[in-house]
Amino acid sequence: MSALSSDCPHLESVGEITKEELIQKSHGTCQDCKVRGPNLWACLENRCSYVGCGESHVDHSTIHSQDTKHCLTVNLTTLRVWCYTCSKEVFLDRKLGSHSPLPNDFKIPGNPTLKIPLVTVFDALDIEVEEDELKTRGNETGGLKPTLSTNCSVHKKHKKYRSVISDIFDGTIISSVQCLTCDRVSVTLETFQDLSLPIPGKEDLAKLHSASHQTSLVKAGSCGEAYAPQGWIAFFVEYFKSWFWGPIVTLQDCLAAFFARDELKGKPLFKICLLLRNGVKFCKVQNFPEILCIHLKRFRHELMFSTKIGTHVSFPLEGLDLQPFVAKDSPAQIVTYDLLSVICHHGTASSGHYIAYCRNNLNNLWYEFDDQSVTEVPESTVQNAEAYVLFYRKSNEEARRERQRVSSLLTMMEPSLLQFYISRQWLNKFKTFAEPGPISNNDFLCMHGGVLPHKAGFIEDLIVMLPQNIWDTLYSRFGGGPAVNHLYVCHTCQIEAEKTEKRRKTELEMFIRLNRAFQEEESPSIFYCISMQWFREWEGFVKGKDSDPPGPIDNTKIAVTKCSNVILKQGADSGQISEETWNFLQSIYGGGPEIMLRPPVAPVELDVLQTEEKIELETRSL
């Protein structure tokens, strides 16, 4: 595993390790308590082979980090990396390749035909967002460390790119921790792409449904609202039924158990306070995803074996209401979902078979997908399925009517004096999302309002031309924009692109020339060391893989100071360049510190020196 670009400054300490080694470690045990997985964490510090259990057991991995000051650890099941010092998951940046600048005589193709595509291939959005790394609550196979955190500051702002997956599945949860001693509350915003829900047992159901527990939850602003209308009689009826036919569990019960407040006893709740306190932790949903993925924890992993929870969880095919779990200040308007598909697992914890039930939007019928076999099934079959993963889609009747209205306008083809260009990307959201959001044409426009030079060559794949009446309908309903009536390559961005390309070429050619001269030296008297992390960023820029140049040279991670001298850190990820190459790069980017290595001079044998002196004396006498 290599230390890729990230805003976590501690990746430099990561040693060389392969995925195969991590898989091999995942079959082992905690080195302290000998517990097996799945929630094992491996230390990523260079030359450290420690493997420890996670928060589902004693959490020896955290204790190891505190004792050794080793920052980074990786979950051996999910392969997700956690930094203890930054107190957050380390996300790797996605970098997009750049394109060569266009010739000066390039022209935008005129008059694209009016069409709304049935299937659209999306590019990643070129939207820069703030550095606000978010953590995930976790899942049954080993979640992230549930630690309160503050963001570490940053080597330069990095761009972050949203993908189609993010647009469809991303939601956010507000997680709050309250100290019962000082009443102080700490709030963390967490991102999720699925909710991993526990399946409550008899005792858990009794607590969730009890009137006393309802009251405490409602006062705490948690999830008790889900059961507020239920009385004692209904509760006892369900409770006694469970003794004869097993617990009756609904998806709403699982959600309530997930969002119920947790009691924290003897924990260091806040960074500024190292005292152990009692507190409560509770969470609500701030933003709901377009597609809600719900995972039911059917597999329980004990010390020596794993078991499967076969409890039937009833779930609605339509109208899943998440209103009880919405945060007070949430901007969400649509919190009702309809079932889209279900994944079921048949078998035991050690072996089994997966099938899926999916609804066809064209005819609203359900189908069973079992390997290569596809069969139509009635709703009752889906309703009685032993669900493992459920996919719900936002339900918005108003959005359907809006789409029908636009479709009817398209059939009329009203003559228009002005034509408007709109992003295919946003238009596809309008066709499929319950809440597409404001119109956004930023996927093909630059900040100056022109077409991005590197996207001009395939602009017809990015836009759709609409008549004025349809644009007016969409704009009045969703807002956003900007309105685009004319497509042209931005001259300002074109000049900048040409300057950048010229700079890339100049820096790359100069480096190659200097490095070739350095390689031809038989015995250089001095080497300069450079951080390979910084060098890889610079290489990505000059080769056109990254649109932005790197920041100043940063050798701080490969340098140590001894006796007031800066020397190379042993085992550091560094490269060797000539003095001329160092001066060239440093004159452009600045930074440091300067690290020099002087190769040892080969010792000359004494008899050879005496022979040379004798020859020199004889020559002088002649």
Side-chain angles (χ1 to χ4, degrees), residues 422 426-427 429 435-441 474-475 477-481:
I422 193 170
W426 183 88
L427 199 58
K429 282 186 180 181
E435 294 181 293
I439 297 172
S440 175
N441 288 329
L474 294 175
Y475 183 74
R477 172 65 178 85
F478 299 102

Side-chain angles (χ1 to χ4, degrees), residues 122-147:
F122 288 76
D123 285 339
L125 287 176
D126 294 339
I127 298 177
E128 184 172 347
V129 298
E130 293 299 319
E131 295 290 325
D132 184 18
E133 290 292 356
L134 307 173
K135 306 184 294 300
T136 311
R137 185 181 178 97
N139 56 36
E140 66 171 319
T141 56
L144 301 180
K145 301 294 183 182
T147 314

Side-chain angles (χ1 to χ4, degrees), residues 328-604:
K328 290 182 179 179
D329 59 345
S330 170
Q333 297 180 351
I334 301 173
V335 294
T336 305
Y337 285 80
D338 295 336
L339 188 65
L340 197 61
S341 63
V342 186
I343 298 175
C344 303
H345 177 270
H346 298 302
T348 64
S350 58
S351 64
H353 180 64
Y354 290 95
I355 65 171
Y357 297 103
C358 302
R359 186 178 62 185
N360 188 329
N361 281 334
L362 297 179
N363 57 18
N364 212 33
L365 296 178
W366 285 92
Y367 293 87
E368 178 187 272
F369 292 80
D370 186 354
D371 292 338
Q372 72 275 12
S373 175
V374 180
T375 310
E376 182 183 333
V377 294
E379 286 189 353
S380 59
T381 301
V382 181
Q383 191 80 66
N384 295 320
E386 189 178 288
Y388 181 47
V389 181
L390 302 107
F391 293 91
Y392 279 91
R393 182 178 186 174
K394 271 185 182 177
S395 175
N396 187 358
E397 191 60 36
E398 184 181 349
R400 294 192 189 99
R401 290 194 296 267
E402 197 70 40
R403 286 193 284 269
Q404 291 175 354
R405 181 185 175 192
V406 171
S407 297
S408 62
L409 290 174
L410 276 172
T411 58
M412 289 189 269
M413 292 300 293
E414 183 178 308
S416 176
L417 296 178
L418 285 178
Q419 302 294 335
F420 288 80
Y421 299 99
I422 193 170
S423 165
R424 284 182 188 263
Q425 183 169 279
W426 183 88
L427 199 58
N428 197 59
K429 282 186 180 181
F430 168 73
K431 292 172 58 184
T432 55
F433 282 23
E435 294 181 293
I439 297 172
S440 175
N441 288 329
N442 293 327
D443 63 315
F444 67 91
L445 293 181
C446 71
M447 59 183 297
H448 311 107
V451 175
L452 291 164
H454 65 277
K455 293 188 176 182
F458 49 94
I459 189 62
E460 288 191 356
D461 297 329
L462 303 178
I463 55 96
V464 172
M465 188 174 68
L466 298 178
Q468 181 179 337
N469 62 331
I470 296 180
W471 167 263
D472 290 342
T473 299
L474 294 175
Y475 183 74
S476 62
R477 172 65 178 85
F478 299 102
V484 181
N485 301 114
H486 175 61
L487 296 176
Y488 62 94
V489 178
C490 177
H491 183 65
T492 303
C493 291
Q494 180 70 23
I495 293 175
E496 289 299 319
E498 291 172 355
K499 288 182 179 178
T500 301
E501 190 63 23
K502 184 178 180 180
R503 174 182 173 178
R504 285 193 178 105
K505 183 178 179 181
T506 301
E507 291 186 23
L508 183 59
E509 289 179 349
M510 179 60 74
F511 175 84
I512 292 174
R513 184 171 66 83
L514 293 175
N515 191 56
R516 185 181 293 118
F518 178 53
Q519 297 299 325
E520 292 173 355
E521 291 186 44
E522 293 185 2
S523 54
S525 60
I526 191 171
F527 295 135
Y528 276 74
C529 299
I530 192 165
S531 165
M532 284 304 298
Q533 181 183 12
W534 182 91
F535 184 83
R536 281 187 282 267
E537 291 183 10
W538 174 81
E539 185 180 23
F541 168 67
V542 295
K543 288 185 176 181
K545 297 178 181 178
D546 190 359
S547 58
D548 297 324
I553 298 173
D554 185 7
N555 279 345
T556 56
K557 299 298 186 299
I558 66 171
V560 292
T561 303
K562 286 188 178 180
C563 301
S564 302
N565 293 324
V566 179
I567 62 174
L568 181 66
K569 181 180 178 181
Q570 186 176 5
D573 185 19
S574 63
Q576 297 176 352
I577 57 177
S578 67
E579 181 178 8
E580 291 78 8
T581 306
W582 168 265
N583 291 334
F584 168 67
L585 293 175
Q586 215 271 342
S587 67
I588 298 174
Y589 295 98
E594 193 176 85
I595 306 174
M596 292 182 289
L597 291 179
R598 298 185 183 274
V601 179
V604 181

Side-chain angles (χ1 to χ4, degrees), residues 169-384:
F169 292 99
D170 271 8
T172 53
I173 283 179
I174 289 184
S175 180
S176 303
V177 174
Q178 182 177 9
C179 177
L180 296 181
T181 303
C182 65
D183 288 333
R184 183 184 171 198
V185 178
S186 175
V187 178
T188 305
L189 191 65
E190 305 174 2
T191 262
F192 71 91
Q193 289 191 336
D194 66 272
L195 295 179
S196 198
L197 308 184
I199 300 177
K202 292 181 180 180
E203 294 182 359
D204 299 317
L205 286 174
K207 290 180 181 179
L208 288 170
H209 289 257
S210 66
S212 59
H213 198 63
Q214 289 174 29
T215 306
S216 63
L217 287 175
V218 171
K219 285 184 178 178
S222 188
C223 64
E225 302 93 324
Y227 297 100
Q230 183 166 316
W232 276 101
I233 297 177
F235 161 68
F236 276 116
V237 170
E238 289 189 5
Y239 186 73
F240 285 120
K241 278 183 180 179
S242 68
W243 281 104
F244 296 98
W245 294 288
I248 300 172
V249 181
T250 67
L251 185 58
Q252 204 79 357
D253 291 324
C254 300
L255 287 164
F258 178 84
F259 286 101
R261 64 176 185 172
D262 296 330
E263 294 185 3
L264 306 176
K265 295 183 178 180
K267 301 285 186 179
L269 301 180
F270 307 107
K271 274 195 170 184
I272 62 173
C273 179
L274 299 179
L275 298 177
L276 301 182
R277 305 281 186 150
N278 294 338
V280 291
K281 181 178 181 180
F282 48 92
C283 58
K284 288 288 188 104
V285 181
Q286 178 73 3
N287 293 299
F288 287 88
E290 184 67 27
I291 302 293
L292 175 63
C293 177
I294 295 178
H295 161 239
L296 298 178
K297 294 183 178 180
R298 289 204 173 273
F299 298 99
R300 180 177 295 156
H301 304 283
E302 305 294 343
L303 183 62
M304 300 298 295
F305 57 89
S306 298
T307 57
K308 179 181 176 182
I309 302 172
T311 304
H312 176 72
V313 177
S314 62
F315 51 89
L317 298 185
E318 294 180 347
L320 175 64
D321 186 12
L322 299 182
Q323 185 61 45
F325 315 112
V326 181
K328 290 182 179 179
D329 59 345
S330 170
Q333 297 180 351
I334 301 173
V335 294
T336 305
Y337 285 80
D338 295 336
L339 188 65
L340 197 61
S341 63
V342 186
I343 298 175
C344 303
H345 177 270
H346 298 302
T348 64
S350 58
S351 64
H353 180 64
Y354 290 95
I355 65 171
Y357 297 103
C358 302
R359 186 178 62 185
N360 188 329
N361 281 334
L362 297 179
N363 57 18
N364 212 33
L365 296 178
W366 285 92
Y367 293 87
E368 178 187 272
F369 292 80
D370 186 354
D371 292 338
Q372 72 275 12
S373 175
V374 180
T375 310
E376 182 183 333
V377 294
E379 286 189 353
S380 59
T381 301
V382 181
Q383 191 80 66
N384 295 320

